[in-house]
Amino acid sequence: MKTAKLVIGIISMVLSVFVLFQSCAAGIVNSLEGSGQVSGTAGVMVAVCLIIAGIVGVATRNSTRKGGTLTAAGFYLVAALFGGIQAGNYTDLYFWSFMAWAFAAGFYCRWLL
């Protein structure tokens, strides 16, 4: 599972850059349209949670304790909730939220073992 935590963590850190750029663009569009939606800000929060969870997952991959795994799963769940609830017109955020939820499920299953 050490390899899986490393791979998921690296993928999460790389994806967070794409989520950040997309959410910045969505925030600019929301601002220019005056729609009052907060999907761009929610995307930034998802990107921040993904990067934190990825760093925690990579840093604690060799640990025998389960605190780091549970922390990473918690940040992935927070990212999934932010994105799923506040996506609005930024529909790509639903996909990123699903990815965060899948990563959280992987880390949570690892925590149970």
Side-chain angles (χ1 to χ4, degrees):
M1 189 62 185
K2 293 177 188 177
T3 306
K5 286 173 72 174
L6 178 67
V7 169
I8 290 173
I10 291 172
I11 289 172
S12 174
M13 288 186 276
V14 171
L15 287 181
S16 69
V17 174
F18 293 115
V19 175
L20 183 64
F21 285 132
Q22 282 184 345
S23 61
C24 287
I28 290 171
V29 169
N30 287 341
S31 178
L32 291 176
E33 288 180 350
S35 63
Q37 293 186 0
V38 293
S39 57
T41 306
V44 170
M45 295 303 297
V46 168
V48 168
C49 287
L50 284 175
I51 194 84
I52 291 171
I55 290 170
V56 169
V58 169
T60 61
R61 71 183 184 278
N62 292 327
S63 178
T64 57
R65 298 185 178 181
K66 297 181 180 183
T69 303
L70 189 60
T71 302
F75 274 107
Y76 282 127
L77 282 177
V78 168
L81 288 175
F82 265 116
I85 292 172
Q86 298 179 349
N89 63 352
Y90 175 29
T91 55
D92 288 349
L93 200 54
Y94 289 119
F95 176 73
W96 300 126
S97 298
F98 176 76
M99 291 294 293
W101 181 83
F103 291 162
F107 271 80
Y108 183 71
C109 289
R110 173 62 184 130
W111 178 71
L112 290 175
L113 298 176

